[in-house]
Amino acid sequence: MVPAIREAFNKAFTVQRYESFLADLHNHHPGAIEFRVAETPVFIDKAFAAKLTDACESIIDVILKPDFKQLTEKSIPDHERVPGENSHPHMIAFDFGICRNAQNELEPQLIEMQGFPTLFAFQVYYPDILRDHFQIPGNYSQFLGGYDRETYLAELEDLLLGPYSPEEVVLLEIKPHEQKTRIDFYCTREYTGIQPICITELIREGDQLFYLNNGHKTRIRRIYNRVIFDDLRSQKDNLGEFVDITQPLDVEWLPHPNWFYRISKFTLPFIHHPYVPETRFLNEIKEMPQDLENYVLKPLFSFAGQGVVIDLTKNDLEEIKDPENWILQKKVQYAEVIPTPDEPAKAEIRMMYIWKDGWARPKPAINLARLSKGKMIGVRYNKDKEWVGGSVCFFEQ
């Protein structure tokens, strides 16, 4: 992406330096990082950053339209609709693949988006350690929108806590200490004081929620929500009794669970931008394209890439019994853009926005990246490969 910086980084890289970095990274919370951390960050110049920002802001314009909630009303399953929805999501993530266009120019292409939190705390901690072990130019940063480490952490704490004390806010998950992303929960606790708790630990009295905080029953005023209903459905038989969070409760949500559905794959057909691949609801397509090899089929109500059909055939389409729950998206070709010691790697960038109450629109804040050498981004497509996995982008300032 930035040839001079890439060449210098690769030339200075050693396995010993990488292993020392990993040891340092794991030392603070031993055993808490299960996912693979890549050998390298991604370096983004101002020109490519402008393309990413242009796409994100165009999508946000769609989200801000007066009829957006009406357009996305069908996205929320009736049995998973949560009362008390607010006017906007407090966190949004936009995932872009780095691709090449017909003119052989690098450009972003939107893959997915979510009105749901991701690694908003870990992406502060991890680049800190990275800088201790590798030479990162001083005018490159993982922060967006003019933030630096101090101002971003202050904004994140204010966003999550609002008027409440850390004891009155909880990070809600399903078995949080078993999640692969639990390192982010621990970083969130370190930066803001918010405790991660399991949905089975909620105590309901009327419409109020409580939890045991060091043995003391404590009222929950706000939930920093990390519960995904798809995950909850798949695990509910092994959880025992837990509070039904779709019932009316006297608690604030951040972000509200309904936004997980409103800003998701369901939203893609409503967006028209050069950096957003053509996407249509499967049940609304009158005539299927003949070149199915250039499309990918995605289920609307799944996460983490589950159910995606990459090498699409007519038989795959004929087997779909609920076409209203699927989208057909023009396939994008990830560019092999990052030189590594063996084959070059592809990259995906997640632009992470925050949206505080009172703001007219969300603001870019921080990012993450994922490197791959397989057909898709993800662990199962990159087994036994190096220079792949979780990473971060350093943007030219």
Side-chain angles (χ1 to χ4, degrees), residues 225-396:
N225 184 50
R226 295 292 297 258
V227 174
I228 296 174
F229 280 110
D230 194 51
D231 194 14
L232 185 59
R233 283 197 308 272
S234 67
Q235 297 192 51
K236 67 177 183 179
D237 293 338
N238 300 318
L239 292 176
E241 292 188 6
F242 58 88
V243 169
D244 180 1
I245 58 175
T246 65
Q247 298 302 303
L249 298 167
D250 184 12
V251 69
E252 294 179 12
W253 294 94
L254 189 148
H256 191 281
N258 292 353
W259 286 103
F260 174 80
Y261 291 110
R262 291 193 186 278
I263 299 178
S264 65
K265 286 172 283 190
F266 188 93
T267 323
L268 295 175
F270 304 115
I271 301 168
H272 306 285
H273 188 277
Y275 301 146
V276 179
E278 173 195 345
T279 307
R280 292 180 285 174
F281 294 110
L282 191 60
N283 65 319
E284 295 182 0
I285 300 175
K286 305 300 182 185
E287 185 175 342
M288 290 295 168
Q290 296 301 307
D291 57 337
L292 289 177
E293 68 276 9
N294 292 321
Y295 290 83
V296 61
L297 187 65
K298 295 181 178 181
L300 288 174
F301 304 111
S302 73
F303 69 104
Q306 296 180 10
V308 174
V309 183
I310 305 172
D311 300 314
L312 186 59
T313 67
K314 288 183 178 179
N315 288 338
D316 294 317
L317 293 173
E318 290 169 357
E319 290 177 3
I320 300 298
K321 306 302 181 186
D322 55 342
E324 69 279 5
N325 293 327
W326 294 77
I327 55 171
L328 190 69
Q329 186 179 55
K330 194 78 182 251
K331 189 181 290 185
V332 302
Q333 297 298 327
Y334 286 71
E336 294 180 335
V337 72
I338 300 177
T340 80
D342 48 25
E343 59 183 309
K346 308 163 188 173
E348 196 169 278
I349 301 170
R350 177 169 292 177
M351 302 285 282
M352 296 151 62
Y353 277 62
I354 59 176
W355 196 346
K356 293 173 69 174
D357 291 333
W359 286 1
R361 57 193 297 130
K363 296 179 182 179
I366 202 167
N367 81 90
L368 64 79
R370 293 184 291 175
L371 273 58
S372 174
K373 295 179 180 179
K375 281 187 176 182
M376 284 183 67
I377 305 289
V379 175
R380 59 184 175 273
Y381 298 97
N382 287 280
K383 290 181 179 178
D384 303 319
K385 295 182 182 295
E386 297 180 339
W387 291 62
V388 298
S391 186
V392 66
C393 293
F394 287 112
F395 284 78
E396 183 182 12

Side-chain angles (χ1 to χ4, degrees), residues 24-73:
D24 202 1
L25 186 69
H26 286 267
N27 184 57
H28 198 49
H29 296 285
I33 304 175
E34 284 190 32
F35 52 87
R36 191 180 196 282
V37 177
E39 284 82 344
T40 181
V42 180
F43 300 101
I44 304 292
D45 62 20
K46 289 181 179 179
F48 196 84
K51 294 179 180 181
L52 287 164
T53 302
D54 179 67
C56 290
E57 295 300 321
S58 178
I59 297 166
I60 290 167
D61 288 341
V62 174
I63 296 169
L64 286 170
K65 287 184 176 179
D67 63 346
F68 182 75
K69 280 197 172 184
Q70 181 181 345
L71 285 173
T72 57
E73 197 63 18

